[in-house]
């Protein structure tokens, strides 16, 4: 099955890009390119997803020779020795051009470099396709887009531009950015990455919901009490506080990544699998969400760890404002005013420097009616995005034997146990492949971005202007002490019985840990 899928995808890519494609990575010496873009490009190359005549051109300000560049790229990719031959082939199609981000001459030079590649590989007019991957800080976004459009745009062929957050700081700045970018490239040419949409379990949400009749029928306010979407990171800003401080956790994680998950969980069934059909439904459900209010928010900032070995946020050397009130933790509640979701709180939790690394969705169902069983815990469906992808359902079962007591058990689909030879591609790999196929389904449309900002901007502005002081929590803890009380207000009930999901280890043997 997998191989026929790969065949089909290869065909799709080749039909569109049979003349070849030049992938230009702008910001080739930056952090994103290093950690994500190049490893993902190599992954696609290695799996044979590049059409014939694919070339990769790195562009950045750093001056370096081709040898130095190749050495760097090899270090970014970090492949085991068995892939050495493929890595060398990959390097053979990779070249580098240095230049400024705001200077026509630099872009003309880049264009000449690409033209030469196209001429040397005998690519015909109309097939000089180019993909511009902007692995860049937001400050140079627009100057680069302008320089590309003016000097490097390939007229008469396919051009695609990949951009990544931050897409502005609030509704106004996002609209400005969108207007400027929209004046240069059409919406069809723009691919806004939210890498959560490339994650396996996020892509699985639609399948779970719409390919299973039993989930379909209980997916509403009549059966669901609350929905929690949680993001926990075990480390702090660690020297990147200067960057983080401008944004904070709400912009960094909740407004984009967690909200994308929310829209997939909450949208109605799209009329087809086409990108526009899916994105239409996402926008529709987001339009039913009123702006999040301060009274539905709990914000925190991490301090020193309890043992004093880990520094607090304000001790980060790169932080300019030592009195910063930027949240590193937030729990916000969104309400969806439509027939399906009226009255069901969507609790969005995200934090840095917490006690563990985890992203999951927890759907808690209503209490069982009647008096037959006393105090049985609620059913929960958990979709674990990372680490160790899994879907499991907590349900009540009779304690085996002579007793009539109930006990919690689970229907458990742990990917590592169920699917042997599992290789889940990195989100970026999946997304860049989508760009090559010209599929926008897993990218953010401009109106989607606009509604998301509409929901968050009043809250962000109020937190900033009234300088709401975040609650301090210890590095490595569970977050602010008030958290349990806060989520209880929205009807979330923690199980009394200490329940431990049994499959905790990666090897999938099922032993309790
Ligand atoms: C590529 O070929 C075109 C058409 O033959 C020519 O105009 C252009 O100067 C060539 N560019 C380079 C950089 O060789
Ligand atoms: C972190 O805290 C949560 C409670 O919020 C707890 O369930 C979990 O087991 C803790 N994780 C670790 C690794 O201790």
């Amino acid at each position: 099955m997998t191989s026929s899928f790969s065949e089909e995808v290869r065909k799709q890519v080749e039909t569109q890009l049979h003349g070849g494609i030049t992938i230009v990575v702008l910001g080739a010496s930056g952090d994103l390119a290093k950690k994500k873009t190049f490893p993902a490009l190599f992954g696609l190359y290695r799996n044979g997803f590049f059409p014939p005549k694919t070339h990769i051109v790195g562009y950045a300000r750093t001056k370096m020779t081709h040898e130095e560049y190749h050495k760097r790229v090899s270090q970014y990719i970090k492949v085991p020795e068995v892939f050495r031959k493929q890595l060398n082939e990959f390097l053979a199609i990779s070249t580098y051009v240095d230049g400024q981000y705001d200077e026509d001459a630099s872009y003309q030079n880049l264009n000449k470099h690409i033209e030469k590649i196209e001429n040397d590989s005998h690519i015909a007019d109309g097939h000089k396709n180019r993909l511009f991957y902007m692995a860049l800080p937001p400050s140079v976004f627009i100057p680069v887009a302008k320089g590309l459009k003016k000097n490097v745009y390939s007229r008469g062929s396919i051009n695609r531009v990949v951009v990544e957050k931050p897409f502005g700081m609030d509704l106004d700045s996002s609209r400005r950015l969108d207007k400027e970018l929209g004046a240069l490239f059409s919406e069809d040419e723009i691919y806004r990455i939210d890498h959560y949409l490339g994650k396996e379990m996020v892509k699985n949400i639609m399948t779970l919901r719409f390919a299973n009749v039993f989930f379909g029928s209980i997916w509403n306010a009549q059966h669901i009490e609350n929905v929690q979407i949680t993001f926990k990171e075990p480390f702090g800003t660690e020297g990147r506080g200067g960057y983080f401080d401008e944004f904070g956790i709400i912009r960094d994680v909740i407004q984009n990544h967690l909200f994308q998950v929310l829209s997939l969980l909450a949208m109605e069934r799209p009329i087809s699998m086409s990108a526009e059909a899916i994105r239409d439904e996402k926008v529709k459900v987001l339009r039913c969400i009123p702006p999040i209010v301060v009274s539905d928010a709990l914000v925190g900032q991490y301090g020193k760890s309890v043992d004093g070995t880990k520094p607090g946020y304000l001790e980060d050397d790169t932080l300019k404002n030592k009195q910063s009130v930027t949240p590193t933790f937030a729990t916000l509640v969104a309400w969806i005013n439509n027939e399906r979701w009226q009255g069901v709180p969507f609790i969005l939790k995200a934090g840095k420097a917490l006690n563990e690394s985890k992203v999951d969705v927890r759907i808690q169902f209503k209490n069982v009616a009647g008096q037959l069983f006393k105090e049985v815990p609620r059913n929960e469906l958990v979709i674990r995005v990372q680490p160790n992808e899994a879907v499991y359902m907590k349900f009540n079962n009779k304690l085996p034997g002579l007793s009539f007591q109930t006990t919690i058990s689970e229907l458990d689909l742990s990917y590592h146990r169920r699917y042997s030879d599992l290789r889940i591609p990195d989100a970026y790999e999946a997304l860049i492949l989508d760009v090559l196929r010209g599929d926008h389904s897993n990218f953010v449309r401009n109106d989607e971005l606009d509604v998301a900002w509409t929901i968050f901007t009043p809250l962000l502005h109020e937190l900033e202007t009234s300088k709401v002081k975040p609650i301090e929590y210890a590095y490595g803890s569970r977050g602010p002490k008030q958290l349990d009380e806060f989520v209880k207000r929205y009807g979330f009930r923690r199980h009394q019985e200490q329940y431990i999901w049994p499959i905790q280890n990666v090897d999938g043997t099922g032993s309790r840990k």
Side-chain angles (χ1 to χ4, degrees), residues 95-195:
T95 51
Y96 179 76
V97 182
D98 69 80
Q100 297 305 310
Y101 289 134
D102 54 358
E103 195 182 84
D104 282 339
S106 293
Y107 290 108
Q108 283 154 11
N109 186 37
L110 170 63
N111 191 51
K112 226 190 301 142
H113 179 89
I114 304 173
E115 262 188 16
K116 179 154 183 347
I117 293 173
E118 288 163 347
N119 287 1
D120 290 349
S121 1
H122 308 290
I123 297 176
D125 280 344
H127 298 290
K128 296 179 172 170
N129 307 315
R130 296 178 182 178
L131 190 164
F132 304 107
Y133 193 108
M134 303 228 244
L136 293 166
S139 54
V140 295
F141 244 50
I142 293 300
V144 171
K146 282 188 181 145
L148 290 175
K149 181 63 195 279
K150 185 164 167 208
N151 304 292
V152 201
Y153 190 81
S154 179
R155 272 162 231 292
S157 302
I158 293 175
N159 293 270
R160 291 178 183 154
V161 185
V162 180
V163 288
E164 196 149 348
K165 68 161 193 190
F167 305 118
M169 292 289 290
D170 55 14
L171 185 59
D172 278 353
S173 52
S174 161
R175 281 189 177 161
R176 260 199 317 273
L177 191 67
D178 185 53
K179 206 167 144 215
E180 291 187 271
L181 198 59
L184 300 164
F185 296 96
S186 69
E187 184 61 23
D188 206 42
E189 291 173 327
I190 301 172
Y191 291 77
R192 288 179 203 84
I193 283 196
D194 184 313
H195 74 274

Side-chain angles (χ1 to χ4, degrees), residues 238-275:
E238 338 276 25
R240 299 192 68 230
Y243 169 83
F244 182 84
D245 203 53
E246 275 182 63
F247 299 95
I249 197 79
I250 299 176
R251 289 187 180 94
D252 203 41
V253 176
I254 303 182
Q255 181 266 353
N256 35 46
H257 305 324
L258 300 195
F259 232 52
Q260 283 294 336
V261 174
L262 177 146
S263 62
L264 288 167
L265 288 168
M267 71 181 185
E268 297 299 313
R269 179 192 292 270
I271 55 167
S272 76
M273 284 299 253
S274 83

Side-chain angles (χ1 to χ4, degrees), residues 232 355-356 478 494:
K232 295 170 90 174
N355 71 337
E356 59 186 342
R478 299 183 41 222
R494 237 173 201 296

Side-chain angles (χ1 to χ4, degrees), residues 403-419:
S403 149
F404 281 102
Q405 259 183 301
T406 60
T407 180
I408 315 178
S409 187
E410 65 290 312
L411 295 167
D412 171 14
L413 166 56
S414 285
Y415 272 38
H416 285 273
R417 269 205 318 184
R418 177 64 179 79
Y419 301 110

